[in-house]
Amino acid sequence: MKARDLKDKYIKFFESKGHKEIPSARLVPENDSTTLFISAGMHPLVPYLLGQPHPLGARLVDVQKCVRTGDIEEVGDECHHTFFEMLGNWSLGDYFKKEAIEYSYEFLTKVLNIDNNNLSVTCFAGDDDAPKDTESAEIWERLGIKDIKFLPKKDNWWGPAGTTGPCGPDTEMFYDGLEIWNDVFMQYNKNAKGEYEKLTRPNVDTGMGVERTTAVLSGLNDDYLTDIFQPIIKKIEELSGLSYVETRLITSLQSTHQKSMRIISDHIRSAVFIIADGVEPNNKEAGYVLRRLIRRAIREGKNLGMENNFCKIVAQSVLDNQDNYAGIYPELDLNKNKILEIIENEEIKFRKTLESGLHEINKLIIRNHQVSGSEAFNLYQSYGFPVEMIEEELDKNNLCLDIDEFNKLKTEHAKKSKTLSAGKFKSGLADDSHVVTKYHTATHLLHAALRNILGEQVQQSGSNITSNRLRFDFTYHSALTLDEIKKVEDFVNDNIKKNLPVMCQIMPLEKAKESGALHFFGNKYPSSVSVYSVGNVESWVSKEICTGPHVENTGIMGKFKIIKQESAGSGKRRVYAILE
Ligand code: SER
């Protein structure tokens, strides 16, 4: 089955049941700062699910563009995607469980001709927040479904999409054991206190993933074999000279290639849609997700031996997909050139960064005849260098990497960032911690700048960072002149522009102090400390004992600006600064 047929049939069926088709909302939420992207069909409809009347009435149907980055690491298997299309139908206080389930059943068995015996469903088992959903189960039973299971909240409950909002028990439908559709019965609103308030007017929200369902209905166990991905995969096969083999026939080398092809097609398809909705690669939020998607695709390209720029060509194959996208999403046609240009520029830029990373590796090899696990981790951090590439370089020189040490550092770092990022933007790659990290590195550069411009008697005496600004206290006798402020800003901005790597080295405390790393006098430090240097390890601009985390490269920090200065007590000054 073609994806287009599924979409058309779905819309037509629900139109025949009195639903009005609504266009897909933009991928970037208009009035919701809690998530970076629309992640489900219901997401743009939240105000209506909470009671506002919809201009098109109480029965709606659509194909909604979605992006989920929560399990980006899973992309590469048969069924995970960052971008996907979701079919959905809604009842805004109109029909409820009975009709919703009957419609689902009729669509599956009469329109898609699925045999009753191949269908199974799950329903909510009940807990302290809401009772067992026997009502749904009884409706399914009446329709002749035999395989009905009750599962807890983690399986059969949906929402809210952010931290608050409409939610409720759901019933999921499986074809030959694979989930294809989800009917959510939105009976509750989860409030900021975490309580489930009963909605006076319950709604139905359903969701069917186009990619997954197209594959399942075509008897394929791999979404990438559908007509949605095949034109993209074919392009990658052409560019790499390798072939995408069906999983069951595969050797292990082919399986790595297959994984890379899937990641490239997934990520570039997402990038195309994200750019079409007005996002450009940068280091903030949605722009940062976009940048990471493109960079990850480029790295996977290396696995396939694709050393020349290829992202634009792959993007073109997405834009050319007549069955699914071209002529269907006007934002793609309208922004074609812009999309291709942005993707191409980002690739050129990243390849340059990779080149300098390679240069650093080779310098280490020549100097030390080895790259240690922590040096490899620094390269990974600073240049976004995949560890496999570091290993390859070492291998060329008959050296090997202490992968255990590397992995240990990576896990430690991931833990740290996770703790920091708990909270906002749970569904995205970017989060508050990313902004805070930039400010953190900015304080190091500011410290260096002040010592450079005002003299080495300047000592940091405190700092405080929020996601909006940094505050830095230091020893100095008088207010800074406008000229001094300008010089400090220039110093920081020049070093940001130089796109300097930030390196972390772990060393004994005494060695750190000897090496000139700045530290708080009188602070208690452990016997082994991490030292962050901005610039190259030999010719650094800033070097401090610090626990991090810091940005990988200063280039991503934006523009530094001092917005205020004041006294912080006798012999002490305080400045506030922002990154724009
Ligand atoms: N919101 C539900 C989902 O994402 C149904 O649309 O599965």
Side-chain angles (χ1 to χ4, degrees):
M1 170 176 254
K2 281 194 164 190
R4 182 76 262 150
D5 293 340
L6 173 66
K7 290 185 259 188
D8 287 346
K9 282 183 172 160
Y10 190 94
I11 302 288
K12 254 200 158 142
F13 174 78
F14 281 99
E15 277 179 343
S16 81
K17 305 287 180 196
H19 293 66
K20 294 275 183 301
E21 184 181 3
I22 51 171
S24 171
R26 293 178 62 227
L27 274 175
V28 183
E30 312 262 331
N31 296 311
D32 178 357
S33 62
T34 63
T35 56
L36 298 176
F37 296 104
I38 294 297
S39 62
M42 57 75 69
H43 202 158
L45 292 171
V46 169
Y48 309 106
L49 293 164
L50 289 175
Q52 198 177 305
H54 193 282
L56 289 182
R59 293 180 176 220
L60 306 171
V61 60
D62 76 2
V63 188
Q64 172 65 46
K65 303 180 284 185
C66 300
V67 165
R68 288 186 188 174
T69 51
D71 34 37
I72 192 169
E73 301 290 339
E74 306 289 326
V75 175
D77 67 3
E78 300 87 354
C79 59
H80 278 88
H81 313 289
T82 49
F83 170 89
F84 60 97
E85 291 178 296
M86 189 186 274
L87 292 160
N89 58 285
W90 289 272
S91 153
L92 303 172
D94 187 333
Y95 58 84
F96 204 46
K97 293 185 184 174
K98 181 169 174 295
E99 291 90 332
I101 293 177
E102 284 172 1
Y103 290 156
S104 293
Y105 181 79
E106 187 181 337
F107 182 70
L108 293 174
T109 57
K110 303 272 153 37
V111 181
L112 300 180
N113 296 321
I114 293 178
D115 190 318
N116 213 348
N117 294 318
N118 294 331
L119 286 175
S120 60
V121 303
T122 58
C123 299
F124 179 55
D127 63 12
D128 291 345
D129 299 321
K132 182 172 176 177
D133 190 7
T134 45
E135 196 186 340
S136 295
E138 279 161 20
I139 301 169
W140 284 120
E141 224 176 293
R142 261 204 322 275
L143 291 167
I145 299 294
K146 292 179 199 78
D147 189 347
I148 304 172
K149 284 190 192 68
F150 286 95
L151 296 174
K153 199 175 235 132
K154 77 177 192 355
D155 304 289
N156 276 84
W157 183 274
W158 204 91
T163 36
T164 58
C167 55
D170 67 19
T171 176
E172 298 183 3
M173 289 149 261
F174 298 78
Y175 175 57
D176 276 346
L178 297 163
E179 190 200 334
I180 52 173
W181 204 354
N182 185 13
D183 288 358
V184 184
F185 304 116
M186 296 196 152
Q187 296 169 273
Y188 303 92
N189 176 40
K190 188 173 181 189
N191 66 24
K193 283 186 238 149
E195 298 156 350
Y196 293 88
E197 299 163 350
K198 248 189 145 138
L199 285 174
T200 43
R201 199 205 60 180
N203 310 294
V204 175
D205 151 42
T206 92
M208 177 188 271
V210 170
E211 288 73 4
R212 186 83 282 244
T213 308
T214 304
V216 171
L217 294 173
S218 313
L220 299 167
N221 63 358
D222 176 355
D223 298 359
Y224 294 87
L225 290 174
T226 62
D227 68 304
I228 303 169
F229 286 105
Q230 273 300 297
I232 320 178
I233 297 280
K234 291 236 164 70
K235 190 48 81 181
I236 302 172
E237 287 184 320
E238 208 178 282
L239 288 164
S240 63
L242 298 165
S243 57
Y244 184 90
V245 188
E246 271 189 60
T247 314
R248 63 193 165 82
L249 307 169
I250 220 161
T251 67
S252 86
L253 179 62
Q254 282 170 332
S255 130
T256 339
H257 290 158
Q258 187 183 62
K259 186 172 170 200
S260 295
M261 290 188 186
R262 287 173 180 159
I263 295 175
I264 296 169
S265 41
D266 172 87
H267 287 11
I268 297 296
R269 185 174 70 134
S270 298
V272 165
F273 275 94
I274 291 172
I275 299 170
D277 276 341
V279 179
E280 296 195 8
N282 59 36
N283 301 302
K284 264 198 355 227
E285 306 178 349
Y288 181 61
V289 173
L290 171 61
R291 170 159 284 164
R292 292 225 23 215
L293 287 166
I294 300 174
R295 292 186 165 192
R296 284 169 64 101
I298 297 167
R299 288 183 212 158
E300 294 300 324
K302 286 194 173 286
N303 289 345
L304 303 175
M306 286 150 64
E307 295 296 344
N308 296 324
N309 292 349
F310 66 83
C311 293
K312 182 180 162 183
I313 307 170
V314 176
Q316 183 78 53
S317 72
V318 179
L319 292 165
D320 287 346
N321 185 330
Q322 304 258 347
D323 282 334
N324 290 295
Y325 311 131
I328 290 159
Y329 287 107
E331 63 274 30
L332 295 185
D333 305 319
L334 281 171
N335 296 303
K336 212 169 201 159
N337 293 336
K338 187 176 130 195
I339 295 168
L340 295 172
E341 196 182 301
I342 289 178
I343 289 184
E344 183 174 40
N345 287 341
E346 186 63 17
E347 177 161 18
I348 293 172
K349 206 155 136 196
F350 185 52
R351 287 193 184 277
K352 279 208 191 109
T353 312
L354 281 181
E355 232 169 76
S356 17
L358 269 184
H359 186 71
E360 282 301 315
I361 296 181
N362 285 308
K363 261 189 3 212
L364 285 170
I365 293 177
I366 291 164
R367 205 177 48 223
N368 304 339
H369 304 289
Q370 184 53 292
V371 175
S372 69
S374 73
E375 281 164 340
F377 180 70
N378 291 334
L379 287 162
Y380 165 81
Q381 278 269 81
S382 317
Y383 295 100
F385 238 83
V387 64
E388 302 79 35
M389 276 174 66
I390 301 174
E391 283 182 310
E392 265 162 39
E393 281 306 301
L394 287 172
D395 193 47
K396 280 187 206 155
N397 293 279
N398 292 325
L399 297 170
C400 66
L401 180 67
D402 183 346
I403 192 75
D404 290 340
E405 191 190 356
F406 174 90
N407 284 333
K408 201 177 124 225
L409 290 166
K410 192 174 163 193
T411 320
E412 274 168 18
H413 185 81
K415 249 195 233 148
K416 241 186 245 165
S417 331
K418 227 187 195 140
T419 322
L420 270 172
S421 70
K424 218 183 167 195
F425 298 133
K426 277 215 186 84
S427 59
L429 284 176
D431 49 47
D432 265 351
S433 77
H434 185 66
V435 180
V436 171
T437 304
K438 285 197 259 184
Y439 275 114
H440 193 178
T441 309
T443 62
H444 282 215
L445 284 177
L446 171 61
H447 194 183
L450 291 166
R451 288 168 60 92
N452 200 283
I453 313 291
L454 305 176
E456 304 240 325
Q457 73 273 33
V458 169
Q459 284 287 333
Q460 174 175 357
S461 54
S463 96
N464 171 286
I465 295 170
T466 72
S467 53
N468 303 316
R469 54 108 185 106
L470 68 82
R471 193 181 78 199
F472 190 80
D473 295 353
F474 57 100
T475 53
Y476 196 62
H477 48 77
S478 56
L480 273 62
T481 64
L482 287 180
D483 183 50
E484 283 165 340
I485 289 183
K486 168 99 181 34
K487 280 190 177 136
V488 168
E489 286 176 343
D490 286 350
F491 181 99
V492 175
N493 284 319
D494 287 347
N495 285 305
I496 288 177
K497 274 194 217 121
K498 280 187 203 152
N499 201 21
L500 298 172
V502 181
M503 299 283 185
C504 173
Q505 290 171 295
I506 311 220
M507 56 177 91
L509 178 62
E510 283 320 308
K511 194 166 163 241
K513 287 184 178 169
E514 262 167 40
S515 80
L518 298 181
H519 52 281
F520 276 118
F521 289 107
N523 240 24
K524 259 203 169 348
Y525 287 102
S527 59
S528 171
V529 291
S530 47
V531 173
Y532 279 87
S533 335
V534 181
N536 295 319
V537 179
E538 310 95 293
S539 64
W540 37 270
V541 201
S542 146
K543 193 171 195 181
E544 299 198 14
I545 297 180
C546 174
T547 48
H550 283 278
V551 299
E552 304 162 9
N553 251 286
T554 58
I556 67 155
M557 289 164 60
K559 189 157 183 254
F560 175 85
K561 200 169 153 195
I562 293 179
I563 51 166
K564 190 173 162 191
Q565 66 160 326
E566 62 194 24
S567 161
S570 119
K572 278 190 192 155
R573 302 294 305 170
R574 166 172 289 180
V575 293
Y576 290 86
I578 53 168
L579 289 169
E580 289 175 329

